Amino acid sequence: MPDRRLPSPPTSPCQSCGACCAYSRNWPRFTVEDDAEIALIPGYLVDDTGSGMRCTGNRCAALVGKIGVETACGIYDFRPVVCRECQPGDEECLTARRHHGLGPLEACPAT
């Protein structure tokens, strides 16, 4: 009988990186989000000024996992616009990867 399982979807290179989420405490900021969008983010993850994500050092508090190994965003569906705009292989991605001693990625489709 033929194997009828669907192939697994390709994983994003972000899931083995996370460098952009631990590059700068100033990076995960709110830019064009309205109050309703920000309200979807759990309050304990919003910084004290209400202008961005809470960070521990340079690492966003919503990031889970180990940089360069396996990572995920704890609020992926509600992440700020700046997080959505950083794409695998773009200049921001490459800057963050260099900061963490990770090699470059080739640009790939958005995930």
Side-chain angles (χ1 to χ4, degrees):
M1 174 168 243
D3 186 342
R4 296 186 186 267
R5 290 178 291 168
L6 294 173
S8 298
T11 58
S12 166
C14 299
Q15 293 172 307
S16 63
C17 182
C20 62
C21 303
Y23 174 70
S24 169
R25 72 174 34 256
N26 297 319
W27 200 327
R29 67 199 176 282
F30 304 140
T31 53
V32 297
E33 293 82 4
D34 61 29
D35 291 341
E37 291 168 313
I38 294 170
L40 295 172
I41 299 170
Y44 69 91
L45 292 174
V46 177
D47 72 14
D48 292 337
T49 66
S51 64
M53 297 297 293
R54 182 173 306 281
C55 291
T56 302
N58 288 327
R59 184 183 172 116
C60 178
L63 180 65
V64 294
K66 184 174 180 183
I67 304 297
V69 178
E70 184 175 8
T71 60
C73 177
I75 59 161
Y76 185 81
D77 290 335
F78 309 113
R79 69 196 187 283
V81 170
V82 69
C83 303
R84 296 171 188 274
E85 289 177 346
C86 184
Q87 295 295 311
D90 72 8
E91 191 56 40
E92 290 80 10
C93 166
L94 297 177
T95 297
R97 288 181 61 82
R98 280 191 299 271
H99 176 79
H100 286 282
L102 301 172
L105 291 174
E106 291 186 25
C108 62
T111 57

